[in-house]
Amino acid sequence: MSQALTSLLLIYTGGTIGMKQDPAKGALVPFDFSQIQEEVPEIGKFAVRTDSYTFDPLIDSSDVEPSLWQALAELIRDRYDRYDGFVILHGTDTMAYSASALSFMLDGLTKPVIFTGSQLPVGVPRTDGKENLISAIEIAAAKDADGHARVPEVCICFGSLLIRGNRSTKVNAEMFNAFQSPNLPPLAEAGINIKYNRDLIRKPADWDAPLTVYPALDTRVSILKVHPGITRQTVSDILHGPNTRAVIIETYGAGNAPTKDWFLDCIRQANRMGKVLVNVTQCLRGTVDMNLYATGKALQEAGVINGYDSTTESALAKLFHLLGNCPDNDEVKMRMECNLKGEISK
Ligand code: ASP
């Protein structure tokens, strides 16, 4: 009996990869998916059947809203049985947020969901879009000897790297290696061959369990980035806002923040109000350890929970997801400190 051809759904949301210069507007504007296919005829050379789905309107990813993540999650759920994997073409600016969000919204994933995009439009001679898209397709189609997907995770494939979506961050606005996974080595590197870091790739507990999609998101989250000169008013406005259920506090180094009485009083008051307060470091690499310095300890005692080595993008997406699914903030706090999808080293 002949084996069915591997099939992928290419989902096009917008971004630079599918843009071209509009002389009238003097800016990049999106073009349709058939033009991407024309520019990348290599797609047809894989022993893979590809279908495409185009979002309308196509957007610059600076305009991404959680509603796009819900639409993506529902699209994947509705077509899950028809495809072996999904490749999402997305702008780079918020790709790390979208990949993080999907990693929490799709539970029991047994198939690859690979985000990609580019720094230069696919029609430009030096584009990175072709290589990124071709690598993403090859990875999304890759299977192990047992027939299971090699990378059943939400990832970003960009430059020479395949990285876990909820570990990714955009670090470069102009070079082709735009994304990094600062606290976890890449899941694969694309050179002459694609070399997989197999020990790091997460596998589902049960390959036969159905995919569960959690579309609910609660966006009542703010981010407080501490900095020298921050005022009591700013801290209070962010921490005590009536429409905020959770605040990510971006701290210095290993999780340190000012120890001035007014600052800690603001934190204690937010904690008494029942807010979820999460400590994430401003540093690109490394983890929060609130037991290292007195300043970190003071935060812990004031009710701040540990975000470990989470990126801010992942902490935000995780909070949206947990708040959307648990009415009880104490349960959210407890689950925030758990490693749900490989997003923290714990
Ligand atoms: N502004 C674009 C976007 O995020 C940038 C890109 O795709 O690289 O959609």
Side-chain angles (χ1 to χ4, degrees):
M1 205 175 77
S2 68
Q3 262 208 306
L5 209 57
T6 299
S7 59
L8 300 180
L9 182 62
L10 311 184
I11 304 170
Y12 178 33
T13 67
T16 297
I17 191 165
M19 291 188 181
K20 64 176 175 219
Q21 193 69 28
D22 179 337
K25 290 191 176 149
L28 291 169
V29 293
F31 58 63
D32 65 40
F33 191 77
S34 61
Q35 287 174 273
I36 296 186
Q37 272 171 316
E38 269 167 41
E39 296 291 350
V40 195
E42 291 86 348
I43 296 176
K45 292 189 184 160
F46 285 103
V48 169
R49 181 173 67 81
T50 55
D51 292 335
S52 66
Y53 180 96
T54 299
F55 273 81
D56 183 18
L58 291 165
I59 53 167
D60 184 297
S61 78
S62 312
D63 276 325
V64 160
E65 291 291 336
S67 55
L68 178 88
W69 305 338
Q70 288 163 329
L72 281 170
E74 282 162 4
L75 178 68
I76 291 169
R77 180 195 60 205
D78 293 346
R79 318 245 164 149
Y80 199 66
D81 293 338
R82 287 164 36 195
Y83 296 98
D84 297 296
F86 301 85
V87 173
I88 303 177
L89 282 74
H90 190 291
T92 57
D93 288 340
T94 57
M95 194 186 289
Y97 291 92
S98 296
S100 296
L102 268 282
S103 77
F104 298 113
M105 295 166 80
L106 303 175
D107 194 39
L109 200 59
T110 55
K111 301 182 180 185
V113 175
I114 313 292
F115 282 78
T116 195
S118 66
Q119 295 280 59
L120 275 178
V122 81
V124 169
R126 287 182 54 253
T127 185
D128 53 330
K130 271 189 180 196
E131 196 182 309
N132 289 348
L133 180 54
I134 291 166
S135 297
I137 289 175
E138 185 168 338
I139 289 165
K143 294 194 179 161
D144 282 332
D146 59 5
H148 292 312
R150 180 159 298 169
V151 191
E153 290 209 39
V154 179
C155 295
I156 288 182
C157 177
F158 210 96
S160 55
L161 304 179
L162 178 76
I163 55 184
R164 180 170 298 149
N166 58 33
R167 291 291 197 152
S168 66
T169 190
K170 184 175 177 183
V171 292
N172 206 312
E174 41 187 273
M175 301 308 281
F176 289 156
N177 266 323
F179 287 90
Q180 275 185 18
S181 166
N183 288 315
L184 186 79
L187 302 186
E189 280 183 77
I192 295 175
N193 296 307
I194 296 179
K195 277 198 183 167
Y196 291 90
N197 204 343
R198 288 175 187 240
D199 294 344
L200 289 179
I201 297 171
R202 284 166 66 88
K203 302 281 165 158
D206 178 1
W207 286 98
D208 296 321
L211 175 77
T212 308
V213 171
Y214 291 93
L217 299 166
D218 182 341
T219 60
R220 286 176 290 169
V221 182
S222 297
I223 300 175
L224 171 65
K225 180 167 185 162
V226 299
H227 58 83
I230 198 164
T231 64
R232 179 198 295 242
Q233 190 61 54
T234 301
V235 171
S236 171
D237 285 349
I238 296 175
L239 284 178
H240 307 143
N243 295 318
T244 300
R245 270 180 79 188
V247 181
I248 297 166
I249 306 174
E250 276 198 3
T251 56
Y252 306 126
N256 307 309
T259 49
K260 298 171 186 75
D261 283 344
W262 67 259
F263 184 86
L264 289 171
D265 281 345
C266 281
I267 302 266
R268 284 188 204 102
Q269 189 185 333
N271 187 46
R272 279 196 301 274
M273 292 166 84
K275 314 263 184 190
V276 182
L277 308 171
V278 185
N279 190 344
V280 166
T281 176
Q282 293 175 17
C283 293
L284 186 59
R285 287 214 162 75
T287 187
V288 165
D289 179 353
M290 288 192 280
N291 289 310
L292 211 54
Y293 294 96
T295 55
K297 194 125 196 111
L299 287 183
Q300 196 174 32
E301 284 165 6
V304 177
I305 62 167
N306 199 336
Y308 298 94
D309 57 352
S310 176
T311 61
T312 297
E313 294 90 325
S314 176
L316 187 86
K318 189 172 175 182
L319 281 167
F320 281 7
H321 163 71
L322 291 178
L323 295 172
N325 289 284
C326 325
D328 176 10
N329 279 11
D330 285 333
E331 191 185 335
V332 172
K333 287 183 194 172
M334 196 263 293
R335 296 190 59 199
M336 266 313 279
E337 290 197 319
C338 297
N339 179 2
L340 301 181
K341 299 287 163 143
E343 73 282 5
I344 50 177
S345 308
K346 201 192 165 201

